[in-house]
Amino acid sequence: MAWTKRLGIGAGVALGAAAIAGTAYAQYRDGNEEPSYRVVLSDGDFELRDYAPMIVAEIMHEGDRREASSRSFRRLAAYIFAKDRPAGGEKIAMTSPVLQEETSGDRWRMRFVMPSSYTMASLPPPPSDIKLTELPARRLAALRFSGNGSPEDLARMEARLVAKLAAQGLTLRGDPEYAFYDAPMVPGPLRRNEVLLEVEAQ
């Protein structure tokens, strides 16, 4: 009986901790600026969005996606937090999501979206391995999912999105991007991830 009681208390503490963690993760996500877009069509976990132009800081790394992701994230974080800049200066606020795409083979590009208050002229100069790019307005199809973003998850969600767009007669442009909205310590079931595909505006 005592063991059962202790087990019940332990489960209650774990559930309470999970609830607190979930609240903290939601606050983390809610506290970050996200790119501006207009929803054209919404259907469950699928949305068609018109994104406004945005500026991104991007970097390329080769290798396994998770290894490349870790290396790229550290370098971009060093830039926005003024840890590695030619001229130093003030920190840039973190935004959501972090964008990643495979450009060729095992070569991965990661992008941090810059806060909308900045222009190309007002952003601090980055180190030589990081590039600032202004993306034009785009129409993107998004499929939302939770989990840890395993290669299997990404491939499955990408296939679902491609099939949905084909059924709607939409024309794809370019390669898929993967959007990750949460900090690495967020448990998989609580994460917000998306596969993004650019489509021709109609």
Side-chain angles (χ1 to χ4, degrees):
M1 180 67 71
W3 178 85
T4 304
K5 185 176 181 180
R6 287 198 299 273
L7 181 61
I9 293 173
V13 170
L15 288 173
I20 293 171
T23 301
Y25 299 146
Q27 290 174 345
Y28 166 85
R29 183 190 299 160
D30 291 344
N32 288 347
E33 179 183 344
E34 296 183 14
S36 175
Y37 62 82
R38 179 179 65 89
V39 177
V40 178
L41 176 66
S42 182
D43 180 15
D45 55 5
F46 168 82
E47 283 188 342
L48 195 60
R49 306 166 179 166
D50 281 344
Y51 277 82
M54 67 182 79
I55 299 173
V56 298
E58 60 183 44
I59 192 169
M60 305 281 285
H61 277 116
E62 296 182 355
D64 172 80
R65 189 188 73 82
R66 290 191 181 277
E67 293 177 2
S69 176
S70 178
R71 294 166 61 196
S72 296
F73 191 95
R74 288 196 300 269
R75 291 295 298 131
L76 291 172
Y79 167 65
I80 68 169
F81 295 135
K83 300 296 184 182
D84 184 10
R85 286 195 208 140
E90 65 180 25
K91 296 179 181 179
I92 300 170
M94 186 72 185
T95 66
S96 293
V98 172
L99 301 171
Q100 190 179 35
E101 66 177 307
E102 186 176 16
T103 60
S104 62
D106 288 332
R107 191 167 174 81
W108 294 89
R109 173 166 52 208
M110 178 174 282
R111 289 168 164 169
F112 279 12
V113 180
M114 297 293 96
S116 58
S117 57
Y118 286 97
T119 65
M120 291 289 284
S122 64
L123 278 164
S128 59
D129 58 339
I130 293 175
K131 178 184 177 183
L132 295 177
T133 302
E134 189 166 14
L135 302 180
R138 301 184 294 168
R139 174 164 290 186
L140 298 179
L143 185 66
R144 180 172 176 167
F145 63 101
S146 60
N148 294 316
S150 68
E152 295 77 17
D153 285 344
L154 297 179
R156 185 172 65 256
M157 294 301 166
E158 180 185 336
R160 278 185 56 192
L161 182 56
V162 169
K164 190 172 186 68
L165 296 176
Q168 296 184 4
L170 295 172
T171 303
L172 306 183
R173 297 182 60 186
D175 298 317
E177 285 185 282
Y178 309 114
F180 305 102
Y181 285 79
D182 297 294
M185 73 286 294
V186 177
L190 298 177
R191 291 189 182 185
R192 175 186 173 187
N193 311 310
E194 293 174 344
V195 176
L196 304 173
L197 276 167
E198 185 174 1
V199 299
E200 295 281 358
Q202 296 180 337

